[in-house]
């Protein structure tokens, strides 16, 4: 009888306890390209007593769901075109900004971001970014994850080329032993256009950057160098002045001067300037007011608000200068069908969804390229690109999936080449709703996932851990901030503090 | 009488196409995702810039107003301008369609060339080892994913043997002026036999990949209907008249057995003309399937709704041609 009573009491206690502390339960929503990773994560979370399950989505649909606040944990990725957190960390983590799928809001971080995107002093900007990173790290609004490397492959006969962090392909100094033509297998099924005002994707830009020149040019690692602009200075906090290289001509002989530069930017900044359509590129220039000509070889960029010089210089690498006279004379349609630029190569022929053929521009101001022609072959399937490289049909291929690297590495005569990536991958957590409105729970998830094992096994080591969503290749990166370590004990401890049962 | 019937059928395709277009228009708008958001990608963009782009593309207007713009354009023969590519949709489809038609014709030819003899012999020698081999072969063909089979073909013929190119329609070194868009025709028109040979070589692997799968389906249909017809009285009569066996099979039996095969071929034709996205991707074949699928992912409504309408017309057209061919094969059938 006595025993029975104790049994009943302990049973009641058990029922009471399990009613009081439940497991952390949520669905991890992943995009289709990350389902393997998602499975590994869910298994790791389950091992410490988190009741996580997996669901796979098409990325566009998932983004809409996230923005509507319908999801609690979802994978996402965001790329940077600036080598600066300006277009990565800021849109992702500033209160109510465009990429803030986690609904994170911290006034201190917002203030740091404001300083970093408006100050014209590099030290101040850098300091603001460091402050923001430490605060974001502590708040753990997301599960900080990794940056994938940009993996490309090439024949050993290719010289003077390396993959770039931003997926651009610069063939101005490239050559191929035994061939005067270089063929590159592109990762996309089509580029968008040949009009430098009407695209937003990197693949179109990769082709256009070989046909046109910009005022500045990035190195493969993202450092800005002079190009059509030879020097620049700050006139006043809202105005930057650029000296243009003299003696530059377009491939039709037209001289490139300040009029062409002003024309190029007016097309982009004026609504409806491209036969009634508006360029989708204006946003890349920041809070610009207008571009004006000072004299034939000097232009000024005038801003509405202060905008850091480094960001202006980075932005300018993305704007290809077009010939005003030729374009005005033939019209947009004819120009898009047969563009004329001042770049190392000139457009010869092709179709945007199959192959684009460029021929060397022998009169390029920086010297004629060694190659006679470059062929951009659209090959959307990775296995086909690799087959074409192995068959000797192409010399360079983009986007080798990590699990197919082995196939290339084992064949003599071809090699894998990598560059730093510029895209942060993470898991968004809905900070505005339970269970992830509790910092301890978000931190717990950051401790609970063994990223090193995932990066090694799924991405074959071609990925690097991130401490936040700031990239090591970007400005103001906190070198000393180590990523959350894999610490399941700590994760369980934090979950218990937050009132959840663990294993 | 027949001509009016034919005309009636052609005209009845118009409301079908329109209905499909409206349905496609509505369904696309129910898909989550905003084309402007997708197009602008990961960047700092102000709300004002987003709004101005949306209004330029009429995406800010109510659904019915957008439908009105689409339909009134349609009446004027204007399919609209692609949201992402800023090019007329008619041009985009016109650029990709010849590649798809070329591949479709080649595929159907490959399919018929394999399936007819295999199907007929299987039926005539039903139960023999030949028949059993053909049947199991057909089963493998139907079950095989085209994606995987295509890659195997590339690895064998392009990488190992190096007798055929991996992908594309023609080598970049060949300069072919575009007149019809059909590579085989354009190279012949230009009198460039070397380019013609090159284009033919590029066509072989994708056509084989799709053709083998189609042949597997077709061979089974031909076998079944041949078996049925061979048991009919008129075939026995023909044999009794002392006609030669192969004459009976090819002249008397096959003609009637062709009707189901024709149906399958017609449907296949309609389907292939939509473009096979997977095979087009594996072989980097710049056809309609790839255009449509990439437009769906980019939510480029304007391209997708026009393509869906074209699909509807293609199916109606293919069915019409099949029905017309029935009457030729069997005069008892009328339209």
């Amino acid at each position: 009888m006595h025993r029975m009573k104790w049994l009943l009491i302990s049973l009641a206690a058990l029922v009471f306890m399990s009613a009081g502390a439940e497991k952390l339960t949520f669905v991890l929503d992943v995009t289709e390209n990350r389902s393997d990773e998602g499975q590994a994560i869910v298994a790791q979370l389950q091992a410490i007593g988190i009741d996580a399950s997996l669901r796979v989505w098409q990325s566009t649909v998932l983004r809409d769901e996230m923005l509507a606040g319908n999801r609690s944990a979802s994978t996402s990725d965001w790329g940077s075109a600036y080598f600066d957190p300006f277009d990565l960390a800021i849109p992702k983590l500033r209160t109510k900004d465009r990429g803030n799928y986690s609904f994170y809001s911290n006034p201190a971080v917002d203030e740091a971001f404001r300083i970093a995107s408006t100050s014209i002093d590099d030290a101040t900007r850098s300091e603001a970014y460091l402050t923001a990173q430490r605060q974001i790290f502590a708040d753990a609004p997301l599960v900080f994850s990794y940056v994938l490397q940009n993996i490309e492959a090439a024949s050993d006969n290719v010289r003077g080329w390396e993959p770039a962090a931003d997926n651009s392909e610069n063939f101005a100094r490239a050559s191929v032993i035994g061939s005067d033509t270089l063929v590159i297998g592109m990762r996309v099924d089509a580029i968008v256009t040949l009009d430098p005002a009407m695209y937003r994707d990197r693949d179109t830009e990769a082709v256009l950057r070989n046909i046109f020149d910009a005022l500045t040019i990035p190195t493969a690692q993202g450092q800005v160098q002079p190009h059509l602009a030879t020097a620049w200075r700050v006139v006043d906090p809202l105005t930057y002045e650029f000296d243009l290289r003299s003696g530059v001509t377009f491939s039709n002989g037209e001289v490139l001067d300040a009029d062409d530069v002003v024309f190029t930017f007016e097309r982009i900044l004026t609504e409806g300037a491209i036969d009634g359509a508006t360029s989708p590129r204006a946003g890349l220039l920041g809070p610009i007011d207008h571009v004006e000509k000072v004299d034939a070889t000097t232009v000024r960029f005038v801003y509405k608000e202060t905008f850091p010089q480094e960001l202006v210089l980075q932005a300018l690498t993305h704007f290809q200068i077009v010939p005003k006279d030729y374009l005005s004379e033939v019209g947009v349609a004819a120009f898009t069908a047969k563009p004329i630029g001042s770049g190392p190569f000139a457009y010869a022929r092709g179709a945007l969804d199959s192959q684009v053929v460029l021929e060397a521009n022998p009169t390029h101001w920086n010297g004629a390229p060694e190659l006679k022609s470059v062929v951009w072959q659209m090959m959307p399937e990775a296995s086909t690109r690799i087959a074409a490289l192995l068959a000797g049909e192409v010399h360079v291929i983009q986007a080798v999936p990590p699990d197919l690297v082995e196939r290339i590495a084992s064949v003599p005569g071809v090699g894998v080449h990598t560059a730093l990536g510029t895209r942060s991958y993470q898991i968004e957590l809905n900070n505005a709703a339970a269970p992830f409105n509790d910092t301890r729970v978000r931190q717990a998830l950051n401790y609970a996932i063994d990223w090193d094992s995932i990066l090694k096994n799924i991405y074959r080591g071609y990925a690097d851990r991130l401490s936040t969503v700031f990239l090591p290749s970007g400005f103001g990166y906190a070198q000393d901030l180590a990523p959350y370590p894999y610490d399941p004990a700590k994760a369980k401890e934090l979950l218990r503090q937050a009132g959840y049962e663990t294993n | 009488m027949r001509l009016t019937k034919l005309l009636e059928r052609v005209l009845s395709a118009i409301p079908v196409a329109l209905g499909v277009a409206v349905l496609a228009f509505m369904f696309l708008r129910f898909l989550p995702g905003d084309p402007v958001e997708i197009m602008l990608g990961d960047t700092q963009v102000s709300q004002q810039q987003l709004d101005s782009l949306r209004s330029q593309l009429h995406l800010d207007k109510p659904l019915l107003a957008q439908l009105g713009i689409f339909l009134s354009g349609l009446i004027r023969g204007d399919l609209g301008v692609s949201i992402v590519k800023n090019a007329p949709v008619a041009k985009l489809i016109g650029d990709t369609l010849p590649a798809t038609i070329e591949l479709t014709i080649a595929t159907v030819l490959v399919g018929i060339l394999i399936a007819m003899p295999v199907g007929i012999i299987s039926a005539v020698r039903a139960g023999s080892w030949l028949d059993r081999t053909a049947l199991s072969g057909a089963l493998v063909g139907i079950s095989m994913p085209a994606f995987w089979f295509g890659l195997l073909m590339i690895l064998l013929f392009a990488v190992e043997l190096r007798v055929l190119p991996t992908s594309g329609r023609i080598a970049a070194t060949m300069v072919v002026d575009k007149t019809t868009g059909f590579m085989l025709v354009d190279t012949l028109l230009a009198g460039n036999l070397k380019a013609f040979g090159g284009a033919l070589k590029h066509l072989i692997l994708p056509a084989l990949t799709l053709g083998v799968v189609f042949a597997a389906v077709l061979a089974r249909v031909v076998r079944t209907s041949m078996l049925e017809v061979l048991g009919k009285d008129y075939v026995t009569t023909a044999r009794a008249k002392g006609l030669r066996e192969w004459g009976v099979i090819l002249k008397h039996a096959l003609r009637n057995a062709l009707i189901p095969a024709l149906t399958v071929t017609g449907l296949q034709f309609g389907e292939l003309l939509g473009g096979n996205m997977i095979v087009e991707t594996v072989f980097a074949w710049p056809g309609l399937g790839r255009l449509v699928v990439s437009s769906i992912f980019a939510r480029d409504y304007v391209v997708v709704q026009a393509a869906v309408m074209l699909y509807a017309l293609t199916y109606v057209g293919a069915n019409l041609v099949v029905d017309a061919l029935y009457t030729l094969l069997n005069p008892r059938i009328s339209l």
Side-chain angles (χ1 to χ4, degrees):
Chain A
M1 197 62 203
H2 190 66
R3 255 197 189 166
M4 198 65 161
K5 201 167 124 192
W6 272 112
L7 203 70
L8 276 174
I9 291 174
S10 40
L11 253 176
L14 242 162
V15 169
F16 178 77
M17 270 173 60
S18 55
E22 286 174 347
K23 283 183 171 182
L24 171 63
T25 305
F26 69 94
V27 178
L28 175 63
D29 296 296
V30 301
T31 47
E32 69 269 71
N33 55 334
R34 288 170 76 180
S35 58
D36 289 351
E37 180 192 330
Q39 279 171 16
I41 293 170
V42 164
Q44 289 174 8
L45 297 179
Q46 282 169 347
I48 61 163
I50 295 175
D51 191 0
S53 49
L54 187 73
R55 208 162 25 185
V56 182
W57 298 76
Q58 201 244 314
S59 60
T60 314
V61 180
L62 182 55
R63 178 173 55 189
D64 270 26
E65 285 283 305
M66 274 191 263
L67 284 171
N70 296 336
R71 306 265 74 86
S72 51
S74 328
T75 58
S76 78
D77 56 84
W78 191 278
S80 165
Y82 283 84
F83 297 94
D84 190 290
F86 173 71
D87 66 339
L88 203 170
I90 295 186
K92 283 226 70 65
L93 293 169
R94 184 160 64 185
T95 304
K96 291 191 171 155
D97 210 326
R98 190 165 162 253
N100 193 340
Y101 306 152
S102 285
F103 308 105
Y104 172 64
S105 176
N106 182 333
V109 170
D110 288 347
E111 175 56 16
F113 281 159
R114 189 194 62 76
I115 294 169
S117 53
T118 54
S119 168
I120 49 174
D121 175 53
D122 277 355
T124 312
R125 297 185 66 224
S126 174
E127 193 49 49
Y129 276 144
L130 293 178
T131 308
Q133 274 167 95
R134 293 203 179 87
Q135 188 64 54
I136 291 163
F137 182 83
D139 288 344
L142 325 159
V143 180
F144 307 122
S145 311
Y146 56 88
V147 51
L148 280 182
Q149 290 171 21
N150 175 17
I151 314 172
E152 305 194 0
S155 151
D156 291 348
N157 289 336
V158 174
R159 297 277 184 277
W161 163 89
E162 59 179 320
D166 61 356
N167 306 88
S168 60
E169 306 285 351
N170 187 341
F171 293 122
R173 291 285 157 267
S175 61
V176 181
I177 298 173
S179 169
D180 54 12
T181 298
L182 185 147
V183 186
I184 172 171
M186 299 281 284
R187 60 183 180 172
V188 286
D189 71 349
I191 58 169
V192 172
T193 177
L194 292 172
D195 182 346
M198 293 310 284
Y199 70 96
R200 273 314 276 264
D201 62 304
R202 292 182 174 195
D203 307 289
T204 303
E205 178 163 66
V207 178
L208 291 181
R209 275 178 162 171
N210 284 277
I211 306 176
F212 297 89
D213 286 324
L215 294 186
T216 54
I217 191 170
T219 64
Q221 292 75 33
Q223 270 81 48
V224 175
Q225 295 188 324
H227 204 54
L228 287 180
T230 51
W232 43 80
R233 63 200 68 85
V234 180
V235 177
D236 61 57
L238 293 176
T239 311
Y240 297 100
E241 190 172 86
F242 291 83
D243 295 338
L244 300 179
R245 191 175 295 279
S246 50
V248 176
T249 54
F250 290 98
S251 61
N252 65 347
E254 190 179 328
V255 174
L256 189 154
D257 61 20
D259 286 326
D260 300 297
V261 176
V262 172
F263 176 76
T264 296
F265 288 96
E266 274 177 355
R267 281 184 94 214
I268 284 161
L269 295 173
T270 314
E271 254 184 59
I274 293 119
D275 278 1
T278 303
S279 165
R281 301 185 64 73
L284 277 168
L285 280 167
I288 195 165
D289 188 68
H290 68 277
V291 179
E292 65 190 27
K293 172 182 172 180
V294 178
D295 59 47
T297 56
T298 317
V299 289
R300 281 182 179 178
F301 285 70
V302 182
Y303 276 80
K304 291 178 216 159
E305 297 158 30
T306 51
F307 194 57
Q309 172 163 300
E310 183 59 24
L311 292 181
V312 178
L313 298 178
Q314 284 285 355
L316 291 181
T317 66
H318 297 288
F319 290 89
Q320 296 81 32
I321 305 303
V322 298
K324 180 184 178 184
D325 292 346
Y326 174 73
L327 209 165
S328 313
E329 184 195 316
V330 300
V332 175
F335 177 76
T336 307
K338 192 160 179 29
I340 298 279
S342 68
F345 294 91
Y347 176 76
R349 61 183 182 274
L352 303 185
D353 60 356
S354 47
Q355 60 203 183
V356 173
V357 182
L358 308 185
E359 270 161 15
N361 171 7
T363 59
H364 191 246
W365 57 266
N366 205 12
E370 278 189 50
L371 290 166
K372 258 197 181 137
S373 54
V374 175
V375 179
W376 307 76
Q377 196 89 41
M378 308 304 151
M379 299 184 142
E381 168 55 39
S383 306
T384 311
R385 289 197 295 276
I386 294 174
L389 180 70
L390 298 182
E393 290 174 18
V394 301
H395 304 101
V396 173
I397 58 171
Q398 291 191 313
V400 178
D403 55 336
L404 294 178
V405 163
E406 283 289 296
R407 223 183 115 54
I408 295 170
S410 62
V411 177
V414 292
V416 171
H417 302 259
T418 60
L420 291 167
T422 55
R423 181 166 285 272
S424 166
Y425 291 77
Q426 55 273 328
I427 301 174
E428 308 276 348
L429 302 173
N430 185 342
N431 287 221
F436 298 119
N437 52 2
D438 186 330
T439 310
R440 291 169 300 190
V441 181
R442 300 196 303 264
Q443 288 170 337
L445 283 198
N446 272 289
Y447 284 117
I449 299 169
D450 185 359
W451 285 107
D452 289 338
S453 131
I454 290 172
L455 298 190
K456 181 164 163 274
N457 294 313
I458 295 176
Y459 299 109
R460 314 288 160 116
Y462 290 98
D464 303 294
R465 275 284 273 137
L466 291 179
S467 53
T468 61
V469 294
F470 285 65
L471 297 175
S473 56
F475 179 81
Y477 177 71
Q479 302 282 354
D480 56 337
L481 193 61
Y484 276 87
Y486 174 51
D487 189 345
K490 182 104 186 217
K492 285 199 259 188
E493 171 62 29
L494 283 162
L495 285 174
R496 275 194 291 272
Q497 282 175 24
Y500 293 99
E501 189 195 307
T502 58
N503 281 359
Chain B
M1 185 61 201
R2 263 183 149 183
L3 207 66
T4 44
K5 267 268 159 58
L6 203 69
L7 201 68
E8 212 173 275
R9 288 279 299 266
V10 171
L11 288 178
S12 71
I14 294 171
V16 173
L18 265 181
V20 169
V22 172
L23 275 182
F25 177 92
M26 297 312 262
F27 281 142
L28 281 170
R29 262 74 178 176
F30 292 138
L31 264 185
D34 174 350
V36 173
E37 284 277 350
I38 299 170
M39 180 168 59
L40 290 184
D42 314 332
T43 32
Q44 277 282 31
V45 192
S46 69
Q47 192 58 41
Q48 184 245 332
Q49 280 164 337
L50 282 171
D51 291 344
S52 114
L53 269 173
R54 282 205 189 98
S55 89
Q56 207 170 80
L57 299 163
H58 309 300
L59 294 170
D60 56 341
K61 294 201 174 61
L63 214 54
L64 277 179
Q66 289 187 45
L67 182 63
I69 292 170
F70 168 50
L71 291 178
S72 71
L74 214 53
I75 290 165
R76 283 178 280 118
D78 177 9
L79 292 174
V81 173
S82 156
I83 295 174
V84 178
K85 302 186 181 206
N86 192 39
V89 172
K91 183 185 182 301
L92 291 175
I93 291 182
D95 283 350
T96 51
L97 199 54
T100 292
I101 295 178
E102 203 162 59
L103 181 56
T104 299
I105 294 174
T107 299
V108 170
L109 277 180
V110 168
I112 291 175
L113 284 178
I114 299 175
M116 292 309 285
V118 170
I120 294 170
I121 292 171
S122 275
V124 174
R125 302 265 180 274
S128 70
W129 67 269
L130 255 172
D131 180 31
R132 283 199 299 270
T133 314
L135 275 181
S136 12
L139 191 67
V140 172
I142 291 174
S143 326
M144 214 165 35
F147 172 81
W148 174 81
F149 183 53
L151 282 178
L152 278 191
M153 304 269 276
I154 290 178
L155 287 180
L156 177 64
F157 290 106
V159 180
E160 290 304 322
L161 302 175
R162 300 210 177 183
V163 287
L164 293 170
T166 58
S167 57
R169 281 182 89 192
I170 193 148
T173 43
M174 302 274 184
V175 185
V176 181
D177 290 328
K178 191 179 147 187
T179 34
T180 61
F182 294 92
M183 204 53 93
L184 292 178
V185 178
D186 285 354
T187 48
L188 277 185
L189 284 180
N192 189 342
L193 285 182
K194 202 168 159 231
F196 177 78
L200 202 59
K201 276 186 169 178
H202 279 82
L203 187 58
I204 291 175
L205 286 186
L208 262 182
T209 302
L210 285 169
V212 163
V213 178
F214 169 51
V217 180
L218 188 63
R220 287 162 63 110
V221 173
V222 171
R223 177 183 180 273
T224 314
S225 56
M226 272 302 275
L227 273 178
E228 197 192 318
V229 172
L230 283 173
K232 289 262 162 77
D233 287 346
Y234 70 86
V235 173
T236 315
T237 312
R239 281 184 179 138
K241 280 196 291 184
L243 295 178
R244 275 195 305 181
E245 182 63 13
W246 280 106
V248 175
I249 293 166
L250 294 180
K251 261 185 93 177
H252 296 255
L254 186 60
R255 188 166 167 147
N256 278 298
L258 272 182
I259 291 182
L262 206 60
T263 313
V264 174
T265 308
L267 281 176
Q268 184 73 22
F269 217 86
E271 191 180 314
L272 284 170
L273 280 180
N276 185 306
M277 192 268 175
I278 294 172
V279 169
E280 284 177 1
T281 301
V282 170
F283 289 100
W285 192 264
L288 186 62
R290 249 168 58 188
L291 173 72
V292 172
V293 173
S294 65
S295 301
I296 292 174
F297 280 122
R299 302 290 183 270
D300 197 337
Y301 307 131
V302 192
V303 176
V304 183
Q305 66 209 17
V308 170
M309 209 166 59
L310 181 71
Y311 288 171
L313 284 175
T314 311
Y315 264 97
V316 173
N319 271 324
L320 189 62
V321 172
V322 167
D323 288 354
L325 287 176
Y326 282 172
T327 62
L328 288 183
L329 284 173
N330 187 342
R332 280 179 298 174
I333 302 174
S334 67
L335 276 174

